[in-house]
Amino acid sequence: MAGGGELETDVLVVGAGPSGLMLAVVLARLGVDAIIVDGKAGPTRESRALAVQARTMEVYDQLGLVDRVLAERSPATAVVPGAGSRPFGRVELRGIGEGVSPYLEVTVFEQSRNERMLVDALGDLGREVRWGHRLRRLDVVAGDDAGDGERAGAASVIATLDGPQGPVVVRARYCVGADGAHSPVREALDVPFEGVTNEHSFYVTDAAGVTGLVDGAINIRITAEHFLLGFPMGASRMRLLGVVRDRDLDEAGELAEDTVKHLVRREFGVAYTDSAWFSQYRLHHRLAKRFRVGPCFLVGDAAHIHSPVGAQGMNTGLQEAHNLACAFADVLVRGMPDARLDRYEAERRPVGRILVDMTDRMFGVVTAGGRLARFVRGRVVPIIGPVAVRLLPRLIGGRRVFGYLSQTRIHYRMSPRTSGRDPVVGRRLPWLGGDVDNFAVLRSFTWQVHGYGAYEPEVRAIAETLGLEWHVFPPDPEGRLDPGLVYLVRPDGFVAAAASARAVPGGPPAFREQLAG
């Protein structure tokens, strides 16, 4: 585009990392007019984020992309904790997650591959990223100043971009900052990014010729002074992550890769021949005070950053984008009021807060420098670790552990009227498993009425009253879904409300409340 150009759109997405690309793909799939821009020349080549959890795999399935992930991934079928060079045993992910999701492994599919796949998917939908367009200025326009036509009376944004051929102005109804930890969108909105910077340095390397770790598993090793995470990347390759103390840095505060090679051999008995990538960075735990400011929203690293312990960050951003894109479609395509978009912050910021707090605590446990902490890591953990690996999944509940790791236990607080006392409401739709794939119908990305063992004519009557798609399935063998109820399922796969399976004039009030936005 020549300099001085102007564009109009409903949604401007700033940032084409995993979160921004997911948002753009879902918006395209749902028919929402959107533009995605990024100051980079193309997708990321190096990948800090690595693992794709089960809930994200379900989203990729909904988008018709999961087969590509499965074809290119490196599966991690187990978690193998240990102390020093000694593993304690294996926790098989399939064993603790059976029946929860169709995807029972941690899928190693690094950030760069996620980005390339989503760029291709966006192209298949007839859209593209405007690379080389960097945000220079973002102005929020008050409703009274928004001009004539459809945008009159509603706040909007004017973004000035530096493009390859000169400045470009984009006028948009909404803007989403998916532009990373140093988000210009967040800074333009003056949203505080609250939290702390950890005192230690983190290293990450994509290592080849790795020995001393268990192949095909996520390895967790700990000593009195250090810890190591190893993620399988296929063919004796592993992503290694760990923490170094300030004494390991040189006078310029930099970390030499040879220092890390010596450290992991000494502490963990791990060696590798060479690496495709090596990096060092300080770790931050921060959460944006707001996820929505008027017509502007934050997703991914622009909204929260934290330790990679648990491999949750990229997945959280992808799911935020999925949630927000479905909400945009409810407003811009289905005609719900703008207030529907308030649900995004109400639902996703608590998830981000829990994630930042949890990873901060976990990181603190493995890096605390006190004498007691070092004693526990160096002397106590090696003794109790092998017993804990066998007993903890049983004591805590294997499904619960898998649910937290896979992000399938996320719970949104719906209104008291729509949630009632049904534990399914506010959660992602339970998967039936077996020969009944109740997730397949979610690929239409529509609001739906579901019945599980309910009387089919009643389910059909309720759905037709509300003008919705409907499906009847056999009873849930685990009893999570009540055969006496019908369930309102959102396009993002979350259960919005439950009501009696008996049809009433106008449809269940709880359903009407949700559909009204």
Side-chain angles (χ1 to χ4, degrees):
M1 172 178 287
E6 288 200 9
L7 299 169
E8 283 202 9
T9 189
D10 281 323
V11 181
L12 170 64
V13 182
V14 180
S19 300
L21 288 167
M22 170 66 80
L23 186 70
V25 168
V26 180
L27 289 174
R29 175 68 181 273
L30 296 176
V32 176
D33 184 35
I35 293 172
I36 178 170
V37 301
D38 196 293
K40 301 191 303 293
T44 302
R45 294 188 177 184
E46 292 81 18
S47 305
R48 284 192 182 179
L50 191 70
V52 177
Q53 304 290 0
R55 177 57 192 150
T56 303
M57 291 292 282
E58 292 170 2
V59 171
Y60 279 149
D61 188 358
Q62 188 182 20
L63 285 164
L65 300 175
V66 77
D67 287 343
R68 175 169 172 179
V69 179
L70 293 172
E72 298 182 18
R73 67 173 180 166
S74 298
T77 61
V79 177
V80 179
S85 61
R86 180 170 64 97
F88 295 149
R90 295 172 65 95
V91 178
E92 298 292 343
L93 294 172
R94 284 190 172 274
I96 66 173
E98 193 68 40
V100 175
S101 172
Y103 308 101
L104 297 178
E105 301 161 345
V106 174
T107 298
V108 178
F109 190 70
E110 55 264 42
Q111 176 181 338
S112 58
R113 292 190 179 188
N114 280 274
E115 291 186 16
R116 289 195 299 270
M117 179 183 69
L118 290 167
V119 167
D120 290 345
L122 191 63
D124 291 341
L125 291 164
R127 300 187 185 180
E128 62 182 6
V129 180
R130 294 176 181 268
W131 300 108
H133 286 74
R134 187 176 304 278
L135 181 68
R136 182 204 304 169
R137 176 172 177 153
L138 180 67
D139 295 300
V140 176
V141 182
D144 292 341
D145 302 322
D148 299 327
E150 294 182 1
R151 302 187 196 281
S156 59
V157 298
I158 300 175
T160 304
L161 312 172
D162 288 326
Q165 283 80 45
V168 177
V169 174
V170 180
R171 298 178 182 272
R173 175 68 186 88
Y174 299 103
C175 176
V176 181
D179 47 350
H182 302 288
S183 168
V185 171
R186 189 187 64 239
E187 292 177 1
L189 299 173
D190 199 26
V191 173
F193 205 32
E194 300 171 333
V196 298
T197 299
N198 196 275
E199 61 180 313
H200 304 301
S201 291
F202 219 96
Y203 66 84
V204 55
T205 181
D206 286 351
V210 178
T211 58
L213 295 175
V214 179
D215 291 337
I218 297 172
N219 289 257
I220 306 172
R221 298 290 178 85
I222 193 168
T223 66
E225 294 287 340
H226 295 278
F227 87 99
L228 176 71
L229 292 176
F231 291 87
M233 299 179 72
S236 296
R237 295 173 57 242
M238 277 204 167
R239 164 71 58 83
L240 304 179
L241 305 99
V243 168
V244 292
R245 309 289 173 173
D246 284 347
R247 61 177 176 270
D248 297 311
L249 307 179
D250 62 22
E251 293 181 357
E254 298 297 322
L255 177 67
E257 185 173 6
D258 284 344
T259 300
V260 170
K261 281 189 171 184
H262 176 72
L263 185 154
V264 298
R265 182 185 287 275
R266 182 192 72 219
E267 296 284 326
F268 308 106
V270 173
Y272 65 93
T273 56
D274 56 82
S275 65
W277 179 50
F278 177 84
S279 183
Q280 164 205 354
Y281 55 95
R282 288 283 184 181
L283 199 61
H284 306 269
H285 293 86
R286 297 186 182 278
L287 179 70
K289 190 168 185 178
R290 299 288 308 275
F291 279 21
R292 178 182 189 182
V293 178
C296 300
F297 301 79
L298 301 173
V299 301
D301 286 355
H304 46 76
I305 53 173
H306 44 81
S307 152
V309 174
Q312 302 289 298
M314 179 174 67
N315 293 271
T316 303
L318 288 167
Q319 292 167 43
E320 284 166 357
H322 180 247
N323 175 295
L324 181 57
C326 291
F328 276 138
D330 282 343
V331 173
L332 296 167
V333 177
R334 300 184 181 97
M336 290 186 184
D338 177 87
R340 164 70 178 91
L341 292 165
D342 290 337
R343 293 294 311 165
Y344 169 68
E345 179 174 303
E347 292 173 358
R348 294 304 308 185
R349 191 173 184 278
V351 175
R353 184 182 65 247
I354 291 170
L355 178 63
V356 171
D357 290 347
M358 178 188 69
T359 56
D360 188 21
R361 288 195 299 270
M362 292 174 64
F363 191 74
V365 168
V366 297
T367 61
R371 181 178 299 177
L372 176 61
R374 293 197 303 271
F375 175 79
V376 170
R377 291 195 300 264
R379 299 294 183 87
V380 177
V381 170
I383 296 172
I384 69 172
V387 177
V389 167
R390 292 195 300 271
L391 294 182
L392 279 181
R394 300 176 188 175
L395 296 176
I396 299 176
R399 279 197 172 189
R400 184 181 294 271
V401 173
F402 180 84
Y404 288 126
L405 178 66
S406 65
Q407 300 195 349
T408 55
R409 283 184 61 86
I410 288 172
H411 186 197
Y412 300 151
R413 299 296 178 186
M414 302 293 178
S415 71
R417 180 170 181 169
T418 59
S419 59
R421 296 184 178 181
D422 195 297
V424 169
V425 175
R427 298 186 184 274
R428 140 268 197 206
L429 180 69
W431 180 59
L432 288 191
D435 296 329
V436 181
D437 185 3
N438 61 322
F439 280 11
V441 299
L442 301 179
R443 293 169 190 156
S444 65
F445 273 99
T446 58
W447 286 79
Q448 302 175 4
V449 177
H450 284 206
Y452 293 84
Y455 184 47
E456 181 174 313
E458 295 279 17
V459 178
R460 183 177 65 248
I462 292 169
E464 289 178 348
T465 296
L466 298 168
L468 301 180
E469 182 179 324
W470 61 275
H471 300 278
V472 175
F473 298 95
D476 178 7
E478 297 191 20
R480 297 161 298 181
L481 295 155
D482 191 328
L485 299 177
V486 288
Y487 296 91
L488 180 65
V489 182
R490 299 193 317 196
D492 64 355
F494 276 72
V495 179
S500 169
R502 176 168 294 182
V504 296
F511 287 19
R512 296 201 307 269
E513 178 182 330
Q514 286 293 308
L515 293 167

